[in-house]
Amino acid sequence: MEIIFHGHAFVEVENLDSSILIDPFISWNPLCDVSLEQICAKNIKAILVTHWHSDHIGDTVNIAKATGARVISTFEVIQYFVKYHNLTAVHSMHIGGSFKFDDFSVKFVNAVHGGAIWPEMLPWKAAWVILTVADKKIYHAGDTALTYDMKLLEDENIDVAFLPIGDNFTMWIQDALKAVEFIKPKMVVPMHYNTFDVIKADPVKFAQLVTLGNLSTCKVLSPWQAIVF
Ligand code: NI
Ligand code: MN
């Protein structure tokens, strides 16, 4: 199994002959290492969307239409995909709920962040997602502030946690360190930094502080690099 980082908050979990995508932001993502064509040429089983912001919805609609991948998100986001883009391979979930699909499972958890369902611009909350594939638990925090709820994730025994560190829209390095302390993942990967001018952060500094505090193992991934199990 490979957990591939594609820049910003776009993560691909490839297992055997298929992939699951989380927040596939390709077009307009200056850090993304793959093209829409390359992704659409793969066997994409599912697309998980944490919240309705353009850097997380990304190219979900185009990928879903080209590959037939099932789109999994919170109810309101799925309603948008169905109503405005006629997607039919969808699965609605909500915060606090888990669902076991054929060979992976998904749980949505409350993030401290916003979102808005276009075009009505109805405000909506963002989610974290916990994806389990081949006995590995991956926590993708989407966009979030630091919150004490993260302490509850300690019981999930997270193998790999993707945490935003870019500040402005999300946690910054010091808050992300506190998050690592709460979650106690076996491994942590920083994300959501250096994509835009307002979210500049130093992932190496974050990694050093994780190591210094003996909090976890930190892997700084360049877009295209992967964690291999
Ligand atoms: Ni956001
Ligand atoms: Mn974002």
Side-chain angles (χ1 to χ4, degrees), residues 8 51 53 55-56 113 143 169-170 192:
H8 198 63
H51 66 294
H53 275 157
D55 57 322
H56 297 261
H113 188 72
D143 285 350
F169 298 114
T170 68
H192 213 275

Side-chain angles (χ1 to χ4, degrees), residues 18-47:
S18 66
S19 288
I20 297 169
L21 310 180
I22 307 174
D23 290 354
F25 179 39
I26 301 170
S27 310
W28 318 112
N29 176 359
L31 300 182
C32 192
D33 61 301
V34 285
S35 67
L36 188 57
E37 291 71 28
Q38 284 170 308
I39 286 291
C40 289
K42 298 182 101 167
N43 178 14
I44 309 295
K45 186 163 31 179
I47 305 169

